[in-house]
Amino acid sequence: MKPLKEKISITIDGDLLEKLRKNAENDERSLSQYINLVLKKHLENKESKK
């Protein structure tokens, strides 16, 4: 079973959003998929440093 997804609303700096959009496009992912991937990798990295 796929994990449940929840919709949220966040505010992101314009320059950061542009970088995220470009990276998502280069990775052939939606912006939402790319942000999820980046956040998962960041949290995994943070957990592995503990």
Side-chain angles (χ1 to χ4, degrees):
M1 179 182 280
K2 288 186 176 182
L4 299 176
K5 304 227 178 209
E6 293 189 41
K7 288 188 176 193
I8 63 167
S9 178
I10 62 172
T11 303
I12 298 179
D13 292 341
D15 58 337
L16 177 58
L17 181 57
E18 184 60 31
K19 289 177 185 179
L20 288 167
R21 282 188 174 134
K22 285 181 183 177
N23 284 320
E25 185 178 325
N26 290 340
D27 213 26
E28 297 181 354
R29 297 179 188 271
S30 70
L31 179 60
S32 181
Q33 288 173 329
Y34 188 74
I35 290 172
N36 269 299
L37 179 68
V38 168
L39 288 171
K40 282 180 186 178
K41 286 184 178 183
H42 172 74
L43 291 173
E44 288 170 359
N45 186 34
K46 192 169 181 169
E47 287 294 318
S48 69
K49 289 183 178 180
K50 286 186 177 179

